[in-house]
Amino acid sequence: MKLLDDIHHKLTALERQHLRRQIRTLDTPCSPHIRIGERELLAFCSNDYLGLANHPALVEAMAEGARTYGVGSGAAHLVSGHSRAHALLEEQLAAMLSPWIPQARALFFCTGYMANLAVTPALVEAGDTASKTSGRAIFADALNHASLIDATRLARDADVIEYAHADVAALGAALAGSAAGHKLIVTDAVFSMDGDIAPLPALAQLAEQHDAWLVVDDAHGFGVLGEHGCGALEHFKLRSEHIVYTGTLGKAAGAAGAFVVAHASVIEWLLQRARTYLFTTASPPAVAHTVSRSLALIAGSEGQQRRAALQDNIEHFKSRLQTQQWRLLPSSTAIQPLLIGSNGAALAAASALDRAGLWVPAIRPPTVPSGTARLRIALSAAHTHHDIDTLCDALAGAEQETQ
Ligand SMILES: Cc1ncc(COP(=O)(O)O)c(C=O)c1O
């Protein structure tokens, strides 16, 4: 009983601080226009940036994958769960990233969270024998995603040095001051709650200069950034064999799963050591089959059109919002956060939008630092200008209501 009392107190405290989260159940597929029970809502909350999550060709690919491979993999990849669909997808991902990562090989994971949990601990462990005397250090951006933070927690025996968000000078000083023999820089490529893009060319340069490796989590850039949707590395035309690149497939790619692309030897090491790869059932081959189709769309003319439509929507939104008082964070990506500050005010703004038939999530700590609660507006190629105008009109109304 004591534990239940403690839980009850903690839940009440969360409620008081406007931090209690609630789950909503959708009755329609992921799309800008959704229904929850009887309520129709215009949604700006998914990471389906290209509008592929309910694309007819991908729905068909999932059905075809299930007919071909069944619905379950039956085992972990290294036992018997690795199907031809997984292998083909990994080849496709490696080919896509090979202009940016020499000797690229790919490893498919069930989720981005699991991919990130795999990479940092395995890379830290790999540095063990080479640098036993001089130690290992991880240099992490202060606004990294929870999965990267948890990965550093799992990387035993490494010093973790957090540098100020996107602060190249601070990172340079931290690297210069470190005596560690094995160094890893770990960063989001597109920051999930701010929408800004990490200064990857400068980070890669520092990595070369200080003999460090650079782990890049491109969950929100893969599919969206770069002419062919290859992500942040293509966006910056950045090529390095010291980059370990993770991407997720449940966001712009519209399906599920994630991957790591790196030098073939790094991937071979992950295959031996990554616990979130070794000790979990492989995701259904039908998912890999679907993602393969999605990657073909992303790399082709349809992907290009969708990226152009998304860009157009981003520009339309930003220009419409210029006349309002909201504090829009400086983001050029599909993630357009409005900084509010207090948890209560962010919730009040989200509720005002909800009453107007819009779903825009209020993001609060611990997802963002305390005092920086915000509305996270996520735009998609599937939104129309009319959808965005509706949002901006509702934001103008909410502004008056909440200020
Ligand atoms: C930056 C970042 N990395 C990793 C993840 C985890 O990816 P997944 O949803 O595939 O687990 C997310 C969000 O979910 C994210 O925002």
Side-chain angles (χ1 to χ4, degrees), residues 134-155:
S134 44
R136 289 155 277 172
I138 300 168
F139 300 83
D141 188 289
L143 293 188
N144 274 351
H145 185 257
S147 55
L148 291 178
I149 295 172
D150 290 353
T152 64
R153 291 174 181 157
L154 285 176

Side-chain angles (χ1 to χ4, degrees), residues 124-210:
V124 164
E125 189 193 348
D128 200 1
T129 43
S131 32
K132 220 170 215 151
T133 49
S134 44
R136 289 155 277 172
I138 300 168
F139 300 83
D141 188 289
L143 293 188
N144 274 351
H145 185 257
S147 55
L148 291 178
I149 295 172
D150 290 353
T152 64
R153 291 174 181 157
L154 285 176
R156 278 175 296 157
D157 304 330
D159 290 333
V160 180
I161 297 121
E162 196 179 272
Y163 60 92
H165 175 52
D167 189 335
V168 174
L171 173 61
L175 284 162
S178 165
H182 180 50
K183 302 186 184 88
L184 280 186
I185 304 166
V186 180
T187 184
D188 283 23
V190 175
F191 287 85
S192 54
M193 297 301 140
D194 289 59
D196 58 328
I197 305 178
L200 292 179
L203 300 189
Q205 210 176 351
L206 281 178
E208 295 302 329
Q209 203 179 323
H210 294 277

Side-chain angles (χ1 to χ4, degrees), residues 120-366:
T120 298
L123 290 181
V124 164
E125 189 193 348
D128 200 1
T129 43
S131 32
K132 220 170 215 151
T133 49
S134 44
R136 289 155 277 172
I138 300 168
F139 300 83
D141 188 289
L143 293 188
N144 274 351
H145 185 257
S147 55
L148 291 178
I149 295 172
D150 290 353
T152 64
R153 291 174 181 157
L154 285 176
R156 278 175 296 157
D157 304 330
D159 290 333
V160 180
I161 297 121
E162 196 179 272
Y163 60 92
H165 175 52
D167 189 335
V168 174
L171 173 61
L175 284 162
S178 165
H182 180 50
K183 302 186 184 88
L184 280 186
I185 304 166
V186 180
T187 184
D188 283 23
V190 175
F191 287 85
S192 54
M193 297 301 140
D194 289 59
D196 58 328
I197 305 178
L200 292 179
L203 300 189
Q205 210 176 351
L206 281 178
E208 295 302 329
Q209 203 179 323
H210 294 277
D211 196 19
W213 282 71
L214 177 59
V215 177
V216 175
D217 170 9
D218 203 13
H220 298 274
F222 181 74
V224 178
L225 295 179
E227 193 190 339
H228 303 95
C230 294
L233 302 185
E234 185 186 25
H235 171 80
F236 285 117
K237 310 239 173 310
L238 179 60
R239 177 178 165 88
S240 164
E241 71 174 6
H242 296 124
I243 287 178
V244 179
Y245 178 89
T246 66
T248 55
L249 300 163
K251 302 187 195 295
F259 63 90
V260 182
V261 172
H263 186 287
S265 301
V266 172
I267 296 297
E268 184 59 25
W269 176 244
L270 288 180
L271 197 65
Q272 312 304 319
R273 275 295 188 271
R275 296 172 67 81
T276 54
Y277 187 81
L278 292 169
F279 302 118
T280 193
T281 301
S283 66
V287 171
H289 186 74
T290 308
V291 171
S292 278
R293 195 71 54 85
S294 172
L295 295 187
L297 285 179
I298 284 172
S301 59
E302 182 164 348
Q304 255 158 11
Q305 282 159 17
R306 284 173 184 262
R307 280 187 289 282
L310 174 61
Q311 195 52 41
D312 181 53
N313 281 344
I314 294 168
E315 280 155 27
H316 183 64
F317 171 74
K318 288 175 72 141
S319 75
R320 279 286 326 255
L321 216 71
Q322 257 170 13
T323 55
Q324 300 189 17
Q325 300 297 314
W326 293 102
R327 279 183 63 196
L328 191 57
L329 291 182
S331 155
S332 58
T333 66
I335 301 164
Q336 292 289 323
L338 301 182
L339 192 62
I340 295 188
S342 85
N343 303 333
L347 268 189
S351 301
L353 292 174
D354 182 75
R355 285 193 294 280
L358 284 125
W359 186 358
V360 178
I363 306 291
R364 291 153 287 158

